[in-house]
Amino acid sequence: MTYFVAEDTSAPGFDPAKTGFAADTAWWMAKCSALAYEDKAFIAHALEQAGFEEVTFFDTVGTQGYLARHPGMTAGRAFAVLAFRGTENDWTDILTDIDFIKRKVSDKGYRAHGGFVMALKYVWGTSFGPDWKGRIRVSWYGAQGVSDAIARFKGEVPLFFTGHSLGAAVATLAAHLWRPRALYTFGSPRVADTELADLMNGQMASRCEIYRLVNSTDVVPRVPLPLGFKHIGNFIYFTRGGRLLVDRNAMLVALLEMLREVFGLFSRWLPYWLCRWISPRLFTNHRISEYVRKLESELPRTSTSAFT
C-alpha cells in the first residue's frame, strides 16, 4: 500500500513554488518526518512509490535522517526533502535531549542547545555551503555528510527541511547552516539562544519560510524553559478540537488551552486517575501521527492522486 496517501483521500500534489503556509505542503513534510522513524528499506520503498528518484541516508552516533530528490509532480518542478528522525527510546537520543549547555553552531558564533548542535555536527559533513564566494582551490579531508549530499544538487532544486521533536531541532539548525526553500517543524523544542533565534526569525525569514507546528498541549515545545532559549519560526497551532490557527490568535489560544490542562492536572487527587488523564493530553499530542491526522483533516477531498 502506498505510504504517501492520506486517510479518506488520495495524496495531494506538491508544488515547490507555492509560497506561504499550505496544509498540503505541511502534510508532505509531516509524512516525511514520520517516515524518518522507519528502517531504511521501508523508507526507500515508500519514497520510490511516491516517485522520488534518489535517496541518501545519514546515520551517525544516534542522528539519523535522509535526503530525497523528486523530479517533480509536474514538469520542471523538481524538489528535495531533508528529514531528520526524532527522539527514540535510546540513551544516545535521551542524552542529546538533556544536554542544555549551549555550543556554537558555526564559526559565526551563534549558539544553541548543545545536544542539538552535536547531533547535527555528527552528520553535517564538509561542504562550505552556498554562501562560499572564494576562488581559492579548497580540499578537505573528513567524513562527508548532509552538506556534501546537498552540494551535489548545485542549487538546481529547491530544498525543504523537516523533522519532528529532536529531528525538528536538528532540521532548524541545519537551516541556519544551509538555507532551504522552506522549513517545516513538528513538536519542536526550543532550539537556539536569543541572538540566533532573532536572526532566523528576522533577516533569514525573508529568504526562507519557517513554520513551527504545535499540536494543542504537546508538552515538548514548552521545553527547555525560555531562560536563554527561544523558538524559531511562524507559529502554527492545532487546537484541542483540531482547528488550524495561523493568525495572531494562535498564541493566545495555545496559552489558554495549556492553562486548562495544568488546572486539570492539579485538580486531580488520585495518581492513577492523574496519569490516565494526563497521557492523552500532554504526551500523546506529541506523536507525529497526531500531527499527520490533524493535517489530513485540512486537505481537500479528491479522487485524483498526485501519483500513480
Side-chain angles (χ1 to χ4, degrees):
M1 186 176 183
T2 303
Y3 174 82
F4 287 94
V5 172
E7 186 177 355
D8 298 329
T9 186
S10 55
F14 187 94
D15 183 1
K18 184 179 293 185
T19 59
F21 177 80
D24 50 359
T25 302
W27 178 84
W28 274 94
M29 294 300 102
K31 291 291 284 185
C32 285
S33 295
L35 187 60
Y37 286 95
E38 304 292 343
D39 65 71
K40 295 178 180 63
F42 184 94
I43 294 172
H45 182 65
L47 292 171
E48 181 181 21
Q49 286 186 318
F52 286 84
E53 60 185 10
E54 66 174 281
V55 59
T56 302
F57 292 102
F58 311 99
D59 188 350
T60 305
V61 196
T63 304
Q64 297 175 343
Y66 63 89
L67 174 67
R69 185 185 190 280
H70 197 291
M73 296 178 183
T74 57
R77 296 289 178 89
F79 63 92
V81 177
L82 174 64
F84 289 97
R85 190 212 68 197
T87 304
E88 291 189 321
N89 293 326
D90 178 274
W91 276 109
T92 303
D93 287 356
I94 294 171
L95 291 174
T96 296
D97 291 338
I98 65 176
D99 181 5
F100 295 145
I101 298 175
K102 294 179 184 177
R103 290 186 172 90
K104 290 184 178 180
V105 182
S106 65
D107 294 337
K108 295 180 181 179
Y110 296 109
R111 299 188 304 160
H113 181 292
F116 303 150
V117 170
M118 293 309 299
L120 177 62
K121 288 187 174 182
Y122 289 140
V123 297
W124 185 245
T126 62
S127 177
F128 278 1
D131 296 328
W132 172 247
K133 306 299 182 184
R135 293 180 294 174
I136 187 174
R137 181 176 178 181
V138 176
S139 297
W140 192 319
Y141 291 88
Q144 292 191 335
V146 174
S147 61
D148 304 276
I150 295 175
R152 295 203 309 265
F153 295 153
K154 302 183 185 302
E156 296 173 354
V157 296
L159 299 168
F160 292 80
F161 290 4
T162 192
H164 166 252
S165 193
L166 167 61
V170 177
T172 300
L173 294 179
H176 167 60
L177 297 181
W178 196 303
R179 188 171 62 251
R181 165 70 182 78
L183 166 67
Y184 281 76
T185 65
F186 305 91
S188 176
R190 292 183 178 89
V191 178
D193 67 4
T194 300
E195 189 177 7
L196 176 56
D198 288 345
L199 171 72
M200 296 186 70
N201 286 328
Q203 175 187 343
M204 183 177 168
S206 64
R207 296 173 290 170
C208 168
E209 297 181 11
I210 305 175
Y211 301 106
R212 179 175 66 89
L213 282 79
V214 174
N215 178 29
S216 188
T217 53
D218 180 350
V219 70
V220 173
R222 276 79 182 182
V223 297
L225 294 176
L227 302 174
F229 292 96
K230 191 173 181 179
H231 273 306
I232 295 170
N234 296 299
F235 184 54
I236 311 295
Y237 185 72
F238 279 110
T239 67
R240 182 178 180 182
R243 189 159 57 98
L244 181 64
L245 300 179
V246 297
D247 55 19
R248 296 178 182 178
N249 294 327
M251 194 63 71
L252 176 60
V253 174
L255 176 61
L256 292 175
E257 290 199 341
M258 194 64 187
L259 288 174
R260 175 180 177 177
E261 297 299 319
V262 171
F263 176 78
L265 169 65
F266 286 104
S267 68
R268 302 285 169 162
W269 290 91
L270 298 177
Y272 170 78
W273 292 104
L274 173 63
C275 293
R276 195 177 79 167
W277 181 85
I278 197 173
S279 178
R281 297 287 189 268
L282 300 181
F283 298 103
T284 57
N285 278 338
H286 182 59
R287 294 172 181 168
I288 185 60
S289 59
E290 286 298 298
Y291 283 88
V292 171
R293 181 181 66 81
K294 288 190 175 181
L295 280 167
E296 286 181 352
S297 67
E298 300 293 322
L299 300 177
R301 295 297 182 255
T302 175
S303 59
T304 304
S305 178
F307 50 84
T308 57

